[in-house]
Amino acid sequence: MIIDVHGHYTTAPAALGLWRDRQIAALKDGTPMPRASELRISDDELRESIETNQLRRMRERGSDLTIFSPRASFMAHHIGDFEVSSTWAALCNELCFRVSQLFPEHFIGAAMLPQSPGVDPISCLTELERCVRDYGFVGINLNPDPSGGHWTSPPLTDRHWYPLYETMVEHAIPAMIHVSTSCNACFHTTGAHYLNADTTAFMQCLTGDLFKDFPTLRFLIPHGGGAVPYHWGRFRGLAQELKKPLLDEHLLNNIFFDTCVYHQPGIDLLTEVIPVKNVLFASEMIGAVRGVDPTTGHYYDDTRRYIEAADLTDEERHQIFEGNARRVFGRLDAHLRRKGL
Amino acid sequence: MIIDVHGHYTTAPAALGLWRDRQIAALKDGTPMPRASELRISDDELRESIETNQLRRMRERGSDLTIFSPRASFMAHHIGDFEVSSTWAALCNELCFRVSQLFPEHFIGAAMLPQSPGVDPISCLTELERCVRDYGFVGINLNPDPSGGHWTSPPLTDRHWYPLYETMVEHAIPAMIHVSTSCNACFHTTGAHYLNADTTAFMQCLTGDLFKDFPTLRFLIPHGGGAVPYHWGRFRGLAQELKKPLLDEHLLNNIFFDTCVYHQPGIDLLTEVIPVKNVLFASEMIGAVRGVDPTTGHYYDDTRRYIEAADLTDEERHQIFEGNARRVFGRLDAHLRRKGL
């Protein structure tokens, strides 16, 4: 089985974006917000948006199951207050749940949280628990910078985040550390902010001792870990100067990297430098980079090809494609076992 | 000849740091600032700080000449106003100049600029021109984020920076794009802020058309280009979606990467992915990562070893060690030619 641990609902029917536009306009004008019930999307519309996009590509590329969360750039936690984020997150999560119900073999949900800058993350627990309990979601996306590029929240190692971690551990739910749209003109969203956040999150964990407090907490760092594997020597050296244990021991029981790296040399480096047990297959399809690479004739984000071509044994490839995902996403494994898989 | 294009005076005598502490204390207390003339460091002290550190390592490792600039993390442009930065930059630049006079075979200067958040970069021109004219400096370090991790300046493609670029072009001076200490708790200075800035600067250039306005402007992106080479497929794909020319044409006549990547797989990727003409030898010794890699028994920042071991021809290695530096730093080449080198 090939499990893609990083897919977003980037192709939701236009009604979703129009509803959000109305919410933002109401916020701006001080007029009443649209109600959640005013968003109406039929099952047929959902089906079509998936069948002609993600599912078609999954079939073409031979991946079986995607951990599916709301569109990352649409989370935009910097817009409005907690109530605005809360209504918006609930709508987006519900759509991912409905997709997982329409295509139970191919999609399973991960939740967007109703984060809001300056608001205690404890406020996210209701939505998180609802998604786990009612929707069967197996993960969450945690935004380390709900301000959208101004980085006003404390580092991930701060006690600020601990209530969230306690709940994640209780439910065996890992977090993908994923920022959203940048509203800072310095940072292009997908070309700088995403990668910077990956690197930043890793270094926050390196300087701290978070996993001493939460030995079973698990973070997935997307986009191949930002700059981290390319600079693995730098990070090993910095850990050494900070008198931290070796990274294997200090971080690699808790931190994992996905394979959203869109060329062969990048995947070759990732799989050479990072232990195979810490690498999880993902493509972020349909996501930031949608075109065909003229140097290969294949989609940039067809990451399965790079894994197939990397210098790995069949057993290692199986770990990356399936085994590691089932180990890191414990509820996913339980779900598959219940289905006899 | 082996030219290291990225060295900072991280080992300056303690008097420099003490003077800076007094400046910062005066700023805090509202008492008179120390005068520049109160900093007294003898030639013998300078000599010792270099001979026992950078020069010793250069001899051990076989590099000949270092482009030498003030300590990056000490620039701290976020502290005080323009006057504070101006006095501080002048002191730091003068020390690098004196080192270049004491060891003319081994060091040549690059200037720190007296940047200050919210201040027009035109204010930096006097110091820049002084360093070029009086000190024979061959480059500058340009901080894209003088706020120190709050990213409050416009992107590098903004006209805000154009007066600086006009002067750089006029004097054939390239800029290394190098941030300083992070005063944002989210970003570890050398483990996150530096690498993020590298990625951010590249992406700013990718989205803009700066080099149409300044075809001979040259930026050196340090630390192996942050996350860029590892994600080269992503950047190629993003350029394609933004309808930009191929990166070779769009950016690689103007943007160069150094080799401050502290393990073999990283250097192998860099030299595989980025055209050799765009890669300049550097170590940032003595810098962010000072230890010995237990997996190799050699210093992490002994980057010459990685270049020697990379899959390159002798001619390619010569370009990386010397040729590219002379092409990019035009005044360095002129200086060496005057000496018959």
Side-chain angles (χ1 to χ4, degrees):
Chain A
M1 188 187 307
I2 296 188
I3 301 168
D4 185 331
V5 299
H6 186 178
H8 299 295
Y9 197 5
T10 50
T11 59
L16 181 68
L18 294 173
W19 188 96
R20 176 66 158 173
D21 290 344
R22 287 179 55 209
Q23 190 193 36
I24 295 168
L27 187 66
K28 211 169 155 184
D29 305 342
T31 53
M33 300 276 170
R35 279 169 303 171
S37 60
E38 290 173 47
L39 175 65
R40 299 236 173 77
I41 298 176
S42 69
D43 282 356
D44 279 349
E45 287 172 290
L46 290 183
R47 242 184 237 110
E48 205 225 333
S49 74
I50 293 291
E51 269 173 350
T52 60
N53 290 299
Q54 286 86 354
L55 193 54
R56 178 168 63 85
R57 297 262 169 87
M58 286 167 68
R59 285 178 173 139
E60 285 165 11
R61 300 179 188 181
S63 69
D64 300 294
L65 175 64
T66 296
I67 300 181
F68 204 54
S69 58
R71 186 173 189 169
S73 64
F74 267 31
M75 298 191 299
H77 294 118
H78 62 278
I79 295 174
D81 59 9
F82 171 75
E83 281 306 320
V84 168
S85 273
S86 183
T87 312
W88 177 234
L91 279 182
C92 292
N93 285 329
E94 191 192 0
L95 288 185
C96 288
F97 169 61
R98 288 174 61 197
V99 168
S100 76
Q101 294 295 100
L102 292 169
F103 303 98
E105 321 262 286
H106 299 299
F107 295 93
I108 192 159
M112 156 185 176
L113 299 178
Q115 295 178 249
S116 193
V119 178
D120 190 326
I122 210 163
S123 60
C124 298
L125 297 184
T126 307
E127 180 66 13
L128 191 167
E129 297 199 304
R130 194 174 71 86
C131 287
V132 171
R133 188 187 57 232
D134 298 348
Y135 293 167
F137 281 13
V138 299
I140 59 170
N141 294 345
L142 173 59
N143 184 347
D145 173 31
S147 76
H150 296 290
W151 292 92
T152 54
S153 291
L156 291 171
T157 48
D158 193 278
R159 287 180 175 273
H160 171 79
W161 304 99
Y162 275 28
L164 206 48
Y165 301 156
E166 282 158 13
T167 308
M168 286 168 57
V169 165
E170 183 194 334
H171 293 294
I173 289 280
M176 177 160 70
I177 307 301
H178 204 307
V179 288
S180 184
T181 290
S182 159
C183 60
N184 181 327
C186 286
F187 303 128
H188 185 274
T189 296
T190 54
H193 190 42
Y194 282 15
L195 302 175
N196 292 351
D198 303 335
T199 309
T200 300
F202 184 84
M203 193 63 199
Q204 289 176 355
C205 295
L206 191 155
T207 55
D209 287 301
L210 178 60
F211 305 117
K212 278 192 185 155
D213 285 350
F214 295 99
T216 61
L217 184 66
R218 284 165 171 173
F219 288 165
L220 175 64
I221 302 194
H223 321 109
V228 172
Y230 175 49
H231 286 284
W232 197 239
R234 186 179 191 88
F235 290 98
R236 287 195 290 112
L238 288 169
Q240 199 169 311
E241 297 205 12
L242 294 166
K243 316 280 184 215
K244 297 292 180 186
L246 292 177
L247 293 181
D248 274 18
E249 184 192 326
H250 183 45
L251 299 178
L252 294 188
N253 294 313
N254 306 86
I255 288 183
F256 302 84
F257 301 97
D258 81 9
T259 65
C260 294
V261 177
Y262 298 148
H263 64 153
Q264 190 67 48
I267 291 290
D268 290 344
L269 177 131
L270 172 66
T271 53
E272 178 184 352
V273 165
I274 304 298
V276 164
K277 75 175 177 62
N278 292 83
V279 178
L280 276 65
F281 176 70
S283 69
E284 202 171 359
M285 176 274 291
I286 295 169
V289 180
R290 302 181 179 200
V292 169
D293 184 343
T295 70
T296 64
H298 301 295
Y299 285 99
Y300 287 103
D301 66 5
D302 187 358
T303 53
R304 181 180 172 181
R305 291 178 181 274
Y306 312 133
I307 303 293
E308 297 288 359
D311 183 21
L312 295 162
T313 65
D314 286 348
E315 173 50 32
E316 289 172 332
R317 221 167 261 124
H318 167 72
Q319 281 189 58
I320 291 174
F321 281 140
E322 178 183 348
N324 297 338
R326 294 180 74 144
R327 206 177 67 251
V328 172
F329 291 82
R331 295 182 86 88
L332 170 64
D333 186 54
H335 168 83
L336 293 172
R337 283 177 190 277
R338 278 195 300 274
K339 294 171 78 172
L341 294 166
Chain B
M1 188 187 305
I2 296 188
I3 301 169
D4 185 331
V5 298
H6 186 177
H8 300 294
Y9 197 5
T10 50
T11 60
L16 181 68
L18 294 172
W19 188 95
R20 176 66 160 173
D21 290 345
R22 286 178 57 209
Q23 190 193 35
I24 295 168
L27 187 66
K28 211 170 154 183
D29 304 342
T31 53
M33 299 276 170
R35 280 169 302 172
S37 60
E38 290 172 47
L39 175 64
R40 299 235 174 78
I41 298 177
S42 69
D43 282 355
D44 279 349
E45 288 173 290
L46 290 183
R47 242 184 238 109
E48 205 225 333
S49 74
I50 292 291
E51 269 173 351
T52 60
N53 290 300
Q54 285 85 354
L55 192 54
R56 179 168 64 83
R57 297 263 169 86
M58 286 167 67
R59 284 177 174 140
E60 285 166 10
R61 300 180 188 180
S63 69
D64 300 294
L65 175 65
T66 295
I67 299 180
F68 204 55
S69 57
R71 187 173 189 168
S73 64
F74 267 30
M75 296 192 299
H77 294 118
H78 62 278
I79 295 174
D81 58 9
F82 172 75
E83 281 306 320
V84 168
S85 272
S86 183
T87 311
W88 177 234
L91 279 181
C92 292
N93 285 329
E94 189 192 1
L95 288 184
C96 287
F97 168 62
R98 288 174 60 197
V99 168
S100 76
Q101 294 296 99
L102 292 169
F103 303 98
E105 321 260 286
H106 299 300
F107 295 94
I108 192 159
M112 156 186 174
L113 299 178
Q115 294 178 249
S116 194
V119 177
D120 190 327
I122 211 164
S123 60
C124 298
L125 297 185
T126 307
E127 180 67 12
L128 192 169
E129 296 198 305
R130 194 174 73 85
C131 288
V132 171
R133 187 186 59 232
D134 298 348
Y135 292 168
F137 280 14
V138 298
I140 59 170
N141 294 345
L142 174 59
N143 184 348
D145 173 31
S147 77
H150 295 290
W151 292 92
T152 54
S153 291
L156 291 171
T157 47
D158 193 277
R159 287 181 175 273
H160 171 79
W161 304 99
Y162 275 29
L164 207 48
Y165 301 155
E166 283 158 13
T167 307
M168 286 168 58
V169 165
E170 182 193 335
H171 293 295
I173 288 279
M176 178 159 69
I177 307 300
H178 204 309
V179 287
S180 184
T181 290
S182 160
C183 60
N184 182 327
C186 286
F187 304 127
H188 184 275
T189 296
T190 55
H193 190 43
Y194 282 15
L195 302 175
N196 292 351
D198 303 335
T199 308
T200 300
F202 184 83
M203 193 62 199
Q204 289 177 355
C205 295
L206 191 155
T207 55
D209 288 300
L210 178 60
F211 304 117
K212 278 194 184 153
D213 285 350
F214 294 100
T216 61
L217 184 68
R218 284 165 170 173
F219 287 164
L220 175 64
I221 303 194
H223 321 108
V228 172
Y230 175 48
H231 286 283
W232 197 239
R234 186 179 192 88
F235 289 98
R236 287 195 290 111
L238 288 169
Q240 201 168 309
E241 297 205 13
L242 293 166
K243 316 280 184 216
K244 297 292 181 186
L246 293 177
L247 293 181
D248 275 19
E249 183 193 328
H250 183 46
L251 298 178
L252 293 188
N253 294 312
N254 306 85
I255 288 183
F256 302 84
F257 301 96
D258 80 10
T259 65
C260 295
V261 177
Y262 298 147
H263 63 153
Q264 190 68 47
I267 290 289
D268 289 345
L269 178 130
L270 172 66
T271 53
E272 178 185 352
V273 166
I274 304 299
V276 163
K277 75 175 177 61
N278 293 83
V279 178
L280 277 65
F281 176 70
S283 69
E284 201 171 0
M285 177 274 291
I286 293 169
V289 180
R290 301 181 180 201
V292 169
D293 185 343
T295 69
T296 65
H298 300 295
Y299 284 99
Y300 287 102
D301 66 5
D302 187 356
T303 52
R304 180 178 171 180
R305 290 178 181 274
Y306 311 133
I307 304 292
E308 297 288 359
D311 183 22
L312 294 162
T313 65
D314 286 349
E315 173 49 32
E316 290 172 331
R317 221 168 261 123
H318 167 72
Q319 280 189 60
I320 291 173
F321 281 140
E322 178 183 348
N324 297 339
R326 295 180 73 143
R327 206 177 67 250
V328 172
F329 291 82
R331 295 182 85 90
L332 171 64
D333 185 55
H335 167 83
L336 293 172
R337 282 177 191 278
R338 278 194 301 273
K339 295 171 76 170
L341 293 166

